[in-house]
Amino acid sequence: MLIEPIISVNNLNKYFFSPDKSLKIDAVKNVTVDIFQGEVVVVIGPSGAGKSTFLRCLNGLEDFDSGTIVIDKIPLDHHHKNRLEIRKEVGMVFQSFNLFPHMTVGKNISLAVRRVRKKSVSECDKITVDLLEKVGITDKIDSYPGQLSGGQQQRVAIARALAMNPKVMLFDEATSALDPEMISEVLDVMKNLAKDGMTMVVVTHEMGFAREAGSRILFMDNGEIVEDRKVEDFFLDPIEDRSKAFLSKVL
Amino acid sequence: MKKHNYLLDGIILIILILAGFLGFIRIKNGFSYNWNWGAIPQFFFKMDTTGKVTPNLLMLGFFTTIKLSFWSSLAAVIIGTLMGILRTRRNLFSKLIGRTYIEIARNTPPLVLIFIFYFFIGNNITAFLGIDEWARNLSETGKSILSFLFSKPERFSEFISALFTLAVYEGAYVAEIIRGGLESIEKGQFEASDALGMSSRDKYRFVILPQVFRKVLPSLTGQAISTIKDSSIVSIISIQELTFQGMELMASTYLVFEIWITITVMYFVLTISLSTLASYLERRMVKY
């Protein structure tokens, strides 16, 4: 029996116009990719390559112009219901954390579990405590996000996404807004997740993470996937000139 | 640091005192008016035939003003929030509805709006809905609850017209305040709620609006104060609020200055306590 991919992207295109409408820019161009359960796909490439746009298309935060996205057998189309279904199964972590500043850490984590998954209050409490333990900040449950460091906020954001018990996690440059000394605490949480078998799509500039935790690299440039290969192959032996140029700059 | 110029302060103070003194002399001599402040207290409270003390016209008007301002501010916040949200949506139809409402309500004199509502919409709709009849046929307790919360049953449909007009008029300003608040919320807050699969309703209810209201509370208080002040114009359709009672008293007693000064003070007491309450609430809110 053929294993079905959990994310199936076919011929995805998204473009936008320059501010004076004279130039059509391809943000995502003819992207076709299948991602399977348990894979940790690391999307890398120069800035402006369309990595984030591609990632944001996957949970419908960004509309696309043509192509199809199917996640866990649900097509991401104009049906609002499908979109909500997909978002329940796809967690997302943002570069700027985007925690809800007026709620405590505990509330941040349990809100969607309570409202979207409709779990009971006691179940929500249990999930919250368990996840805070997982990301290593049990003592901050009653703090407000503003009282936490960047690294702690991002770990809460990861816990918030995990609380929905998603099948896929998307990371959009999760460590780019952090002070250098806090990057590792967030990366550690992500590595543990990868070890636990979570399916992840990670946009990052952390090559160390890609090497250590990634299973597959998507190298993007100008909206296209230039290389789609196993991590070790890509770093040892990049094929395309563009990947070579990029690697020589970042390594 | 710049040195403070005390000499200038002193000169300004002396000029002010002199002006006040001259004004006082002018009123005292050149302006023949028989002050009679002693007649005012009876318009606050009166003794009825059984010897019980009951509120008189000024207090009754004061209460009506409070009730009218409270309900119309509440309704204005509800209308304004809905319209403010519609105004910021991407959907063209929603935007059009929000925009049309705001532009119409803001660009019409409230007095004209009141006439339109009272003579045209008010009369027809209250008759159509049977509100008058409903109010008249209430039980005695029902009637007293109605008068406590709104107005006497006989005047209920006028009260509703006035309430609705004020709410629609002030709602447009509230809508603009809310829109400003919504636009000041980071895009990431919307995206984070969307990414968690939250419905649009939950997103606004739990994430966006609580942050908006916290930001716009000072402007909303300002708008509530405006509502109190603007409520005086509904005296034109015989709502017996403070200004209406003032005009009635003036016509029967000719105590023009005493009455209007008293009424000014009453409005001032109302608005100043509201803004004090609001700044207290603002300070008490949890900091995040």
Side-chain angles (χ1 to χ4, degrees):
Chain A
M1 203 183 90
L2 218 66
I3 307 168
E4 283 224 31
I6 190 150
I7 300 178
S8 176
V9 179
N10 203 352
N11 226 355
L12 188 73
N13 278 290
K14 176 176 175 67
Y15 51 81
F16 48 85
F17 290 95
S18 59
D20 60 347
K21 311 260 183 216
S22 62
L23 220 60
K24 192 174 133 190
I25 301 158
D26 291 301
V28 178
K29 197 172 168 189
N30 299 328
V31 167
T32 300
V33 65
D34 283 342
I35 294 168
F36 295 88
Q37 183 100 43
E39 275 192 309
V40 177
V41 177
V42 182
V43 186
I44 59 176
S47 61
K51 311 178 296 274
S52 285
T53 311
F54 164 64
L55 195 74
R56 289 159 55 83
C57 283
L58 292 182
N59 68 348
L61 282 187
E62 205 82 60
D63 291 326
F64 47 89
D65 293 298
S66 67
T68 57
I69 296 177
V70 180
I71 295 184
D72 198 25
K73 299 189 192 89
I74 309 165
L76 181 61
D77 49 23
H78 59 273
H79 291 290
H80 192 59
K81 223 181 130 211
N82 285 349
R83 188 169 293 223
L84 288 184
E85 273 312 306
I86 284 177
R87 284 171 176 170
K88 276 190 210 174
E89 305 302 337
V90 179
M92 184 159 194
V93 177
F94 299 86
Q95 180 176 356
S96 48
F97 327 138
N98 296 344
L99 291 176
F100 307 136
H102 59 302
M103 293 179 189
T104 61
V105 164
K107 263 296 222 174
N108 260 284
I109 296 174
S110 59
L111 176 68
V113 191
R114 180 96 187 94
R115 298 300 305 178
V116 182
R117 288 276 190 225
K118 313 269 182 211
K119 301 241 188 208
S120 71
V121 176
S122 58
E123 272 178 294
C124 288
D125 289 346
K126 194 180 171 306
I127 290 172
T128 307
V129 172
D130 287 352
L131 282 168
L132 280 177
E133 202 170 322
K134 193 167 187 172
V135 299
I137 23 178
T138 36
D139 53 333
K140 300 289 186 193
I141 189 162
D142 291 320
S143 305
Y144 284 88
Q147 301 165 326
L148 306 183
S149 72
Q152 290 171 327
Q153 289 194 45
Q154 193 60 299
R155 284 186 282 157
V156 172
I158 295 175
R160 177 176 69 179
L162 287 176
M164 291 292 287
N165 196 15
K167 293 187 173 132
V168 179
M169 284 283 283
L170 310 177
F171 290 84
D172 188 7
E173 304 202 17
T175 56
S176 299
L178 293 174
D179 290 337
E181 74 269 23
M182 291 166 184
I183 291 178
S184 65
E185 59 186 75
V186 172
L187 286 183
D188 286 343
V189 172
M190 289 166 65
K191 285 174 197 162
N192 282 335
L193 262 184
K195 236 179 270 166
D196 291 347
M198 173 63 77
T199 311
M200 292 160 69
V201 184
V202 184
V203 171
T204 187
H205 296 294
E206 297 292 328
M207 294 304 138
F209 173 83
R211 275 187 161 154
E212 193 178 328
S215 54
R216 187 170 153 197
I217 296 278
L218 297 183
F219 178 78
M220 287 183 78
D221 191 17
N222 292 331
E224 291 173 296
I225 293 185
V226 179
E227 278 197 53
D228 173 1
R229 299 177 59 203
K230 281 194 161 153
V231 170
E232 45 271 35
D233 298 350
F234 178 79
F235 282 108
L236 282 176
D237 172 34
I239 298 170
E240 301 286 330
D241 288 343
R242 280 187 280 183
S243 347
K244 282 179 192 158
F246 178 75
L247 280 179
S248 70
K249 272 182 223 153
V250 297
L251 288 182
Chain B
M1 216 171 88
K2 220 177 135 192
K3 214 179 142 215
H4 194 87
N5 194 343
Y6 290 103
L7 184 65
L8 190 63
D9 286 3
I11 292 173
I12 291 174
L13 196 66
I14 289 169
I15 291 175
L16 281 176
I17 290 172
L18 268 179
F21 184 68
L22 284 177
F24 179 73
I25 300 278
R26 174 90 184 83
I27 290 175
K28 193 106 197 310
N29 302 332
F31 178 84
S32 70
Y33 183 79
N34 237 339
W35 293 92
N36 181 12
W37 282 102
I40 296 296
Q42 58 174 318
F43 300 128
F44 279 92
F45 293 99
K46 64 165 185 229
M47 283 235 251
D48 63 7
T49 43
T50 59
K52 230 173 76 182
V53 178
T54 51
N56 204 353
L57 293 179
L58 283 179
M59 278 327 261
L60 288 174
F62 191 59
F63 292 144
T64 307
T65 294
I66 293 176
K67 287 184 269 191
L68 188 62
S69 314
F70 174 77
W71 290 116
S72 39
S73 296
L74 193 70
V77 168
I78 294 170
I79 297 176
T81 307
L82 280 175
M83 291 299 169
I85 290 174
L86 286 184
R87 184 87 162 70
T88 53
R89 300 232 79 171
R90 262 200 298 180
N91 182 314
L92 183 64
F93 185 63
S94 311
K95 259 201 291 213
L96 268 180
I97 292 181
R99 182 88 197 266
T100 311
Y101 161 69
I102 291 171
E103 294 304 344
I104 288 178
R106 279 205 311 179
N107 293 303
T108 348
L111 195 56
V112 173
L113 274 184
I114 285 187
F115 284 134
I116 292 176
F117 275 100
Y118 179 57
F119 290 116
F120 181 63
I121 301 178
N123 275 0
N124 285 302
I125 288 188
T126 49
F128 174 72
L129 293 174
I131 288 177
D132 258 335
E133 214 175 313
W134 170 80
R136 274 197 196 104
N137 293 333
L138 276 175
S139 67
E140 279 311 307
T141 34
K143 276 184 183 167
S144 53
I145 291 173
L146 195 71
S147 356
F148 179 72
L149 289 178
F150 298 96
S151 77
K152 291 201 193 90
E154 328 53 279
R155 322 265 329 154
F156 187 60
S157 68
E158 283 91 339
F159 187 85
I160 289 293
S161 285
L163 192 164
F164 198 64
T165 318
L166 281 173
V168 165
Y169 179 67
E170 306 290 338
Y173 293 89
V174 175
E176 284 294 85
I177 293 172
I178 296 286
R179 179 175 72 100
L182 281 169
E183 281 169 359
S184 77
I185 301 290
E186 275 174 62
K187 233 177 94 203
Q189 294 292 310
F190 291 88
E191 291 183 348
S193 333
D194 284 340
L196 287 164
M198 286 165 76
S199 68
S200 200
R201 233 186 86 206
D202 281 356
K203 173 170 70 181
Y204 279 99
R205 182 171 154 204
F206 294 104
V207 179
I208 306 300
L209 287 180
Q211 297 186 54
V212 169
F213 279 121
R214 205 178 277 249
K215 279 194 178 165
V216 303
L217 186 69
S219 327
L220 282 185
T221 319
Q223 205 52 49
I225 288 173
S226 280
T227 312
I228 293 175
K229 295 186 289 179
D230 293 343
S231 74
S232 65
I233 54 171
V234 302
S235 56
I236 206 81
I237 54 167
S238 318
I239 300 293
Q240 293 163 345
E241 44 69 74
L242 201 45
T243 305
F244 180 86
Q245 305 290 35
M247 291 199 285
E248 295 277 284
L249 280 177
M250 193 185 64
S252 57
T253 64
Y254 300 109
L255 297 171
V256 182
F257 285 91
E258 290 89 335
I259 285 167
W260 288 119
I261 291 171
T262 310
I263 284 179
T264 310
V265 172
M266 289 171 88
Y267 273 116
F268 186 71
V269 165
L270 201 56
T271 48
I272 201 85
S273 10
L274 184 63
S275 51
T276 315
L277 177 76
S279 57
Y280 169 75
L281 283 179
E282 236 172 280
R283 266 180 283 124
R284 258 207 49 188
M285 273 195 301
V286 188
K287 301 273 186 299
Y288 54 73

